[in-house]
Amino acid sequence: MTVVVDQPVPDFQAPATSGKTVSLSELKGRQVVIYFYPKDSTPGCTTEGQGFRDQHQAFLDANTEVFGLSRDSLKAHENFKAKQAFPFELISDKDEAVCQLFDVIKLKKLYGKEYLGVDRSTFLIDKNGVLRQEWRGVKVPGHVDAVLAAAQALNKG
C-alpha cells in the first residue's frame, strides 16, 4: 500500500534523532511535512535541510511540524543535525518501511551504474492525518518556499 493524495496516511512509527520515536497518530492536530532525501551531508541534501531550517519558525507559525527522513543511521543523522543546527528531527528509515509506504525508492543512475535510492520527495499531511500535497523528483532551489506556501494555505483553509 502506498499513500494517495486526499486519503489518510496509514500510521507509522520510526526512530528519530534526540531519542524520539515519530508516530504519525501522535501528531494529529498539527500539520506535518516529511521530506525524504537521499543522504546526510551531501550537497543537495544539506542545502535542502538548511532551507527547512531557515524557514522553521514560519512552518511552526503555520501549525506545521517538519521532519527529514533518509535511510541513514541515527548516528549519521545526529551528526548531520548537529553540524547544520537543524531545529527539527531527522527520521532514520534503515528498513525502508516508511520509504516504501510513500513509494520513494526508485531506480537511479550514477556514473552509468544503476541502483535503488531515495527519490527526493516531500509530503504535506493535514492536521487530521490526510495527505494533501506531494512533491516528487524535487529540485532543491525554491522548493522549501513552495512547501511553506502550501502549508500556510492549508493552515488557513
Side-chain angles (χ1 to χ4, degrees):
M1 169 158 182
T2 184
V3 298
V4 178
V5 172
D6 295 329
Q7 295 294 315
V9 175
D11 192 26
F12 65 83
Q13 286 192 329
T17 48
S18 305
K20 295 194 163 100
T21 297
V22 173
S23 167
L24 195 58
S25 59
E26 290 177 12
L27 294 165
K28 283 237 164 73
R30 296 189 62 86
Q31 295 177 168
V32 177
V33 164
I34 303 174
Y35 76 94
F36 291 78
Y37 62 96
K39 187 141 186 62
D40 289 343
S41 302
T42 56
C45 300
T46 299
T47 301
E48 183 179 26
Q50 289 169 340
F52 280 108
R53 176 196 67 201
D54 296 348
Q55 295 282 15
H56 190 250
Q57 188 57 53
F59 278 101
L60 292 179
D61 292 345
N63 190 37
T64 305
E65 292 282 341
V66 172
F67 297 95
L69 185 149
S70 81
R71 300 179 298 180
D72 290 301
S73 68
L74 282 174
K75 185 175 191 301
H77 275 352
E78 291 289 3
N79 292 338
F80 187 41
K81 181 182 172 196
K83 189 173 181 186
Q84 299 302 327
F86 292 157
F88 50 84
E89 304 305 334
L90 298 176
I91 298 170
S92 175
D93 192 29
K94 296 281 287 177
D95 65 2
E96 299 180 0
V98 183
C99 287
Q100 288 176 4
L101 176 64
F102 284 85
D103 190 29
V104 298
I105 302 292
K106 302 291 180 204
L107 193 61
K108 301 174 110 181
K109 268 190 180 165
L110 184 65
Y111 305 121
K113 291 192 176 180
E114 291 189 336
Y115 66 98
L116 288 175
V118 174
D119 184 42
R120 190 181 307 279
S121 306
T122 302
F123 299 86
L124 175 60
I125 302 165
D126 75 11
K127 60 186 196 283
N128 297 311
V130 175
L131 178 61
R132 290 302 176 192
Q133 204 159 344
E134 64 182 21
W135 294 263
R136 294 184 181 270
V138 166
K139 301 290 182 240
V140 173
H143 176 63
V144 172
D145 292 336
V147 176
L148 178 58
Q152 290 167 330
L154 183 60
N155 191 48
K156 288 185 178 126

